[in-house]
Structure formats: structure tokens, C-alpha cells
Amino acid sequence: MPQSEISGQSYHEATKHSYLSVQLDPNYVDASTQPSAFKVYPKFYRRLQLNSNNPTHAFISLSSAITFEKVYKDGPYKLRVNPSAGALYPTEVYVQMRGVEGFINGIYHLEVENNCLTLIYELIDDGLESYIIPGKCINGFIFLTSCVYYRSSWKYQNRSARYCFLDSGHHLGAIAASAYLHEKNTQLIFDFDKLSLNADLGFENKEFITGCVISGEAQAKKVRRLRLKVPFVCGTDYFEPNQFIEDVYQATSLQPSRQQQLKHPQFNFEQDKFLEAVWNRRSIRRFQKQSISQESYWRILQAIQQPIATENFEEIEIYAVVHRVEGISPGLYQGTNLIKAGKFSEKTGYLCINQAIAKDSAVTLFFVSAYTNYQTALQIAGFIGQRVYLFSNYWGIHCSGIGAYYDDETQEFLGTNKAVLYAMTIGI
Ligand SMILES: Cc1cc2nc3c(=O)[nH]c(=O)nc-3n(C[C@H](O)[C@H](O)[C@H](O)COP(=O)(O)O)c2cc1C
């Protein structure tokens, strides 16, 4: 069977963790061999330093900013507004700007390490629209997220396919959060001609486009495909191919996602406090096993379930294992419905490969889906995951994503045959 006809489901099955698989392959790597986590175009490209006093600069910069730095023996750690499995940061961001004051119409790479934009392509009568929304021209911004997959497959091998797409969803969530703070409209797009775009942006087999955020005014107008190819620049200092990841990507890029009507979320966060949450967002490493209030819990749960502004959608169902929420009986819930009463903190700790955060949290969440498009579903899960981080941090509650769990045993515990795409913990 051609690779493109194998469904996302079989790729998901092929990367399941079990008690045995984790014993046999615990993913140890020599940290000194980690590929570089920052892409830098050659120095002859024109660059623009981003300045936080300029609102357009701040909007772009906050989508990917470095927010915490620490030096360890293996080198500096640079943590960002977006979380990433293993802090490996496979995702990159490109932004096309057309008719934006102070900018040449063009496609820019966001150089996160140096907080600058690199102009990699100047527009004439061409642009990204023709690959994404043919027949339209966007005055404003078109963000693209991509994955330099080797940064993640270096450690997580085939399972990194999941992490690349989850990380990408988180990054889209970080772009949406910055847009919210800068009062910009957004629409996410997952179904478009990613494969032609990869070829024209010169990504070879080493980087691939995952998602798109449009922020601007659409006008009916034909825009040509890029008249020139962007030269290849490697996003890592060295590279080892992984055929499995390339196949998952290829297959899931050709399959349409489910469709829904476009609906926008309505949030009314305090701007300053929300900016603080974006800027200070971190993954908790250890919980104090304290309870959270029922009010905070419902607020988070309701806010994360607000509409996602996209027509390409995959339904994500959320199971919540409540351990420590004042006034709520411990147990397994689907939304507000209690499915199984009981204290399951030891169980969720075990299911998440004996990670204490899944045991000591107030609530451990599991995201499941009966998706059509696997790539879109994981990105939506990551997008919701970014909301979980930001909204819990906004209301003073800690959070962490969890990508490592025993798949079949988790499914069995939840009593679902839908795929478990992601887990998250919240608490104090
Ligand atoms: C998809 C994904 C999976 C993750 N899985 C785990 C996990 O299994 N265990 C854990 O402790 N942290 C996990 N994390 C959190 C990352 O380790 C964390 O985001 C990274 O170290 C950067 O730190 P920061 O989130 O504080 O910026 C995950 C994060 C993401 C986005």
C-alpha cells in the first residue's frame, strides 16, 4: 500500500508506549549530541531587530519569545513562551506581511534566538495565499508553523511524530495568545497545499509546514505561487533522516480534516494579567499536592472549551481524573459527568510512566479523539493544551503537558476506544 494511504491511526498505533516498550527503550541519549534548536539563515539576508515598543514587532515577537534562560553544564537552556516535549523545540515560525506599515511586503523567518525577523522572500504578485486560500489576498499577516523534526526525533525517535504535531499546536496557541493581546483577529488553517509549500520554501525532507494562522483582511484577488524557490537552509547543525516521521507527515498532509463553521472565542481576560501569564508560563516540575478550588477548576475547564477559530477541525474529548478539587468527589469524569468514582492518583501516576506530576496534581486530563486527520487532531490537542497552560497560570494554578503514557492501559482505564493524544496535569 502506498505510504499516503496508511491512515494516521496505524502511525499512532505504531508509536504506543507500553510498560514493556519503555523498559526496552528508555530513550536515553547523550545530551552533548543534541542538534541545535535554532534556525538561522545566512548572514547576507536582510534582518530587522524586533523592538517591544513597536506593537507589530511585539505581536510577532511574543509568538515565540525566549522567556527564561539558565546555564547548565551541557550549555544554556532557553525556554520560551511555547512549551515543548523535552524542551527540544522542533517548531519554527515564518510570517508573511503584506501592507503592514514599516515592513517590506515579504516572507520573514522569525529568528527566535536573536529576536529578529529575517526577510527570506520579497513579494511581487506572488505569495503564500495561493497555497493556503487560493483566490484571496491577505492584507496583514500569514503565520506558518513548521517542524525541524530531527530536533525531536533525535531523542524520541518515531514517537516524536506526535510531539512535533503537539508542539506545533502549542506554538499556534502561542501565536493566538499574542494576537489576542494585540487585538488582532485570527483564523487557523490546517488543510492546504503543504507539500508544494515545503518544496517552494526549500525545506527538502528536513522541515515541514504544519499549520497556519491568518490575521488580516481577506480580499478577492488572485495571487501567484512563489516565482522563485527559497534556498535550503538546515534548521539543525547535523541531521539524521527518519523515514517513519516523513511518512506520517506525508500521509497526514494529504487527507482532509473534518469541517466546521468558523466561530470565534470570546475571552475577557485582564490584558496585563494575561500578558504576565504568557510571559511567565512554565511547566511545573513538582506539585505540593494541594487542592484547588472548584471555581478555578470550572473556570479553566469552561475557558479551554471555547470555540477554536478554524474551519478545519477535529473533535477532542477531555477526560478529567479529579484528585484534589474542593467540593468535587475524586473520580474519572467526562466533562462534568462522573463516570467512575474513586481515588485514582496512583493509577494516573502509573499510567503516565510513573511521573509524580500525574499523581500529585489536582486534576490529570486526558485528550482523546476519533479523528479523521491525525496531524490536525494532534495540533488541536496541542492548541487546547496551550490554553490549559495559559488559563491555569492566569488563575494561579500550575500545569504541565505529558506526552509519555502507556497508551493501551490509559485507553482501558478511560473506557474509550478513541485514541489518547495527550495528557495534562494542573494543580498546586
Ligand atoms: C507535547 C509535550 C509533551 C510533554 N511531556 C512531558 C512529560 O511527559 N513530562 C514532563 O515532565 N513534562 C513534559 N512536557 C513539558 C516540557 O518538558 C516543557 O515544556 C519543557 O521542558 C520546557 O519548559 P517550560 O514548559 O517550562 O517552558 C511536555 C511538553 C509538551 C509540549
Side-chain angles (χ1 to χ4, degrees), residues 354-371:
N354 291 317
Q355 298 191 68
I357 48 170
K359 172 166 77 78
D360 300 339
S361 57
V363 184
T364 301
L365 303 167
F366 291 97
F367 295 178
V368 311
S369 179
Y371 50 81

Side-chain angles (χ1 to χ4, degrees), residues 80-123:
R80 315 185 189 182
V81 286
N82 51 310
S84 167
L88 300 175
Y89 304 104
T91 51
E92 292 287 330
V93 168
Y94 298 81
V95 55
Q96 174 179 297
M97 282 184 269
R98 192 191 286 286
V100 176
E101 204 189 318
F103 290 89
I104 294 170
N105 288 349
I107 303 171
Y108 298 78
H109 169 247
L110 177 50
E111 197 174 290
V112 175
E113 189 169 29
N114 302 311
N115 192 32
C116 67
L117 284 175
T118 309
L119 177 61
I120 59 169
Y121 191 90
E122 276 191 53
L123 306 178

Side-chain angles (χ1 to χ4, degrees), residues 101-296:
E101 204 189 318
F103 290 89
I104 294 170
N105 288 349
I107 303 171
Y108 298 78
H109 169 247
L110 177 50
E111 197 174 290
V112 175
E113 189 169 29
N114 302 311
N115 192 32
C116 67
L117 284 175
T118 309
L119 177 61
I120 59 169
Y121 191 90
E122 276 191 53
L123 306 178
I124 301 183
D125 58 346
D126 49 356
L128 297 177
E129 290 92 334
S130 49
Y131 306 80
I132 300 165
I133 35 165
K136 297 257 171 71
C137 173
I138 300 294
N139 277 312
F141 306 82
I142 300 179
F143 287 89
L144 289 174
T145 49
S146 72
C147 282
V148 177
Y149 77 75
Y150 182 52
R151 291 182 193 151
S152 186
S153 64
W154 163 74
K155 178 166 185 185
Y156 296 119
Q157 298 154 27
N158 292 355
R159 193 161 169 115
S160 69
R162 300 177 181 208
Y163 302 157
C164 280
F165 298 139
L166 287 168
D167 275 11
S168 174
H170 275 283
H171 214 149
L172 292 166
I175 296 170
S178 183
Y180 172 73
L181 279 166
H182 293 92
E183 294 170 1
K184 304 270 188 208
N185 62 8
T186 53
Q187 180 179 343
L188 301 181
I189 304 184
F190 295 101
D191 293 2
F192 54 96
D193 191 358
K194 294 174 183 171
L195 302 185
S196 303
L197 204 45
N198 293 333
D200 291 354
L201 290 173
F203 287 170
E204 294 190 347
N205 60 333
K206 299 174 184 64
E207 184 173 348
F208 46 70
I209 295 292
T210 45
C212 171
V213 182
I214 288 183
S215 176
E217 296 309 316
Q219 194 190 336
K221 187 176 167 187
K222 199 166 165 1
V223 173
R224 274 209 304 149
R225 295 216 153 192
L226 301 187
R227 62 196 190 280
L228 300 168
K229 244 183 92 164
V230 178
F232 168 69
V233 172
C234 196
T236 47
D237 41 357
Y238 77 109
F239 174 76
E240 286 182 89
N242 178 315
Q243 196 56 50
F244 179 87
I245 310 279
E246 292 183 24
D247 290 345
V248 183
Y249 175 74
Q250 183 90 13
T252 57
S253 294
L254 294 169
Q255 209 166 35
S257 313
R258 289 216 168 89
Q259 300 298 308
Q260 68 167 13
Q261 251 200 338
L262 184 64
K263 259 202 220 153
H264 293 276
Q266 300 295 331
F267 296 119
N268 47 13
F269 295 111
E270 284 171 41
Q271 294 286 98
D272 289 353
K273 200 172 151 197
F274 194 72
L275 175 62
E276 230 173 89
V278 168
W279 197 256
N280 296 326
R281 183 213 60 77
R282 280 283 76 82
S283 299
I284 190 73
R285 304 297 173 193
R286 182 175 299 187
F287 288 110
Q288 304 298 318
K289 297 194 197 176
Q290 288 178 25
S291 296
I292 63 171
S293 73
Q294 193 175 149
E295 192 193 358
S296 308

Side-chain angles (χ1 to χ4, degrees), residues 56-83:
T56 305
H57 289 207
F59 166 38
I60 296 168
S61 173
L62 195 64
S63 71
S64 309
I66 294 171
T67 49
F68 183 79
E69 291 192 49
K70 205 167 180 177
V71 179
Y72 289 106
K73 72 173 176 4
D74 295 314
Y77 251 73
K78 297 188 177 186
L79 305 183
R80 315 185 189 182
V81 286
N82 51 310

